[in-house]
Amino acid sequence: MSGLQCLASEKVWFDKHRYDEAERRLYEGANGPATQQQQDTDANAILQDIAKSRKNIQQSLNGVKTALQQAKGRQQKRPHRNSSSNAGDQELVSRMKSLELENQTLHKVVVEMKAALQRLESRVAVLEKSPAPAAVQCAKTAPVRQVKVENGGDEDDDDDIDLFGSDDDDEEAERLKQERLDAYAAKKAKKPALIAKSSILLDVKPWDDETDMAKLEECVRSVQMDGLLWGASKLLPVGYGIKKLQISCVVEDDKVGTDILEEEITKFEDFVQSVDVAAFNKI
């Protein structure tokens, strides 16, 4: 930004003295010549305006100098940035070269390992084809046991040799097999069988709010049978002051069913209106 542009942007009234002079002449023509004091006042006003103008011009010039200094500073920083970027490029190039050298070294190591593996495979193939020397030596040194067959022996010796085996061995093997089967069956019989059980939650509803719920629970728990175990119980509100008995039990599936329980509980007609299964879970 040049000095003229800075001055153009400033709001300075350069022709003010002309207008002041024209205004002074106008008033002198209308009211007569101005007094010395008025002239001094006008002169002081003009001097003040001139001082203000000079101050504005000085500030504009200072702004131009500041802008030029900032521009020079930016130009000086650019080479520094370029030098730092060049240093980074050089470091990157050096790292790439080191990686290339390392890659070449690894490639050589892999080639050597492949060659060694091929040599080992060829040696193993040769060893598999040829017999082991220790086995050959053992075969050479092992004495051959000769069995002399004497002719003219007794005929009883030939009768003692059983070429096809006897039936006694088969009977012994069958007996051992049967003993093992019997032992396994006995062991399996001793193992306790898995009993299937279920957990049932029953809702027992009375006739009205005047039913004695304690007596009703006593009647329900009086139902006893093999495979039935009563659990906890509680009273739950139904409505209009009526409460139902919710009781849990554990039953063996093979011995007790829900139909039998409902039938036995509903026999107490004076207390029980209905029986519902609220929950049924296998154990």
Side-chain angles (χ1 to χ4, degrees):
M1 183 181 290
S2 62
L4 294 176
Q5 292 177 350
C6 292
L7 292 175
S9 62
E10 296 292 337
K11 296 180 180 180
V12 181
W13 193 1
F14 294 102
D15 297 335
K16 186 176 185 301
H17 63 282
R18 296 180 182 178
Y19 290 95
D20 292 338
E21 182 67 21
E23 187 177 1
R24 184 180 61 79
R25 290 178 182 177
L26 177 63
Y27 285 116
E28 285 181 355
N31 301 324
T35 61
Q36 185 65 30
Q37 185 177 2
Q38 289 178 352
Q39 291 179 359
D40 293 339
T41 303
D42 295 337
N44 290 332
I46 292 170
L47 291 174
Q48 290 177 1
D49 293 336
I50 292 171
K52 289 181 180 180
S53 300
R54 287 179 179 177
K55 186 177 180 181
N56 291 331
I57 291 170
Q58 188 66 29
Q59 290 179 355
S60 300
L61 293 175
N62 291 333
V64 171
K65 289 180 181 179
T66 305
L68 291 174
Q69 290 176 359
Q70 291 178 356
K72 289 181 180 179
R74 291 174 183 174
Q75 289 179 357
Q76 290 176 359
K77 288 181 180 178
R78 286 179 182 175
H80 179 68
R81 292 179 181 175
N82 293 332
S83 61
S84 62
S85 62
N86 291 331
D89 294 340
Q90 290 177 359
E91 184 180 358
L92 182 61
V93 170
S94 62
R95 289 183 65 183
M96 289 179 65
K97 289 182 180 178
S98 63
L99 288 174
E100 289 178 356
L101 293 174
E102 187 177 358
N103 190 12
Q104 291 177 0
T105 305
L106 291 174
H107 182 68
K108 291 180 182 179
V109 172
V110 171
V111 171
E112 292 176 357
M113 290 180 68
K114 286 183 177 179
L117 183 61
Q118 290 178 356
R119 290 196 296 271
L120 287 173
E121 288 179 353
S122 61
R123 289 184 63 185
V124 169
V126 172
L127 290 174
E128 287 178 352
K129 290 179 181 179
S130 62
V136 175
Q137 188 174 1
C138 291
K140 290 180 180 178
T141 57
V144 179
R145 187 177 180 181
Q146 296 179 356
V147 179
K148 294 181 179 179
V149 179
E150 296 180 357
N151 295 327
D154 296 335
E155 293 180 357
D156 296 337
D157 296 336
D158 295 337
D159 296 336
D160 293 338
I161 299 173
D162 189 2
L163 297 177
F164 300 100
S166 62
D167 295 337
D168 295 337
D169 296 337
D170 295 339
E171 291 178 357
E172 184 67 20
E174 188 67 25
R175 185 179 63 79
L176 290 174
K177 182 178 179 181
Q178 187 63 33
E179 288 180 357
R180 290 176 182 175
L181 290 173
D182 294 340
Y184 177 75
K187 184 177 179 181
K188 190 174 181 182
K190 290 180 181 179
K191 187 177 180 181
L194 183 63
I195 301 174
K197 295 183 179 180
S198 301
S199 175
I200 304 174
L201 188 64
L202 300 174
D203 285 344
V204 184
K205 297 178 183 179
W207 288 103
D208 51 22
D209 57 343
E210 296 180 356
T211 304
D212 189 358
M213 300 302 295
K215 185 67 176 177
L216 185 144
E217 182 178 358
E218 183 181 352
C219 294
V220 171
R221 290 184 181 274
S222 65
V223 176
Q224 298 293 332
M225 59 184 69
D226 188 18
L228 172 62
L229 178 63
W230 292 107
S233 63
K234 59 182 177 179
L235 298 177
L236 298 176
V238 178
Y240 303 101
I242 302 174
K243 295 182 179 180
K244 66 180 179 180
L245 174 67
Q246 191 173 76
I247 186 169
S248 62
C249 62
V250 177
V251 300
E252 295 181 11
D253 296 343
D254 295 337
K255 297 178 181 180
V256 182
T258 57
D259 297 336
I260 299 174
L261 280 176
E262 292 178 5
E263 184 179 352
E264 292 294 327
I265 294 172
T266 51
K267 287 181 179 180
F268 302 100
E269 298 178 354
D270 296 338
F271 300 97
V272 179
Q273 176 189 6
S274 62
V275 179
D276 297 324
V277 178
F280 186 92
N281 297 315
K282 291 287 185 180
I283 299 178

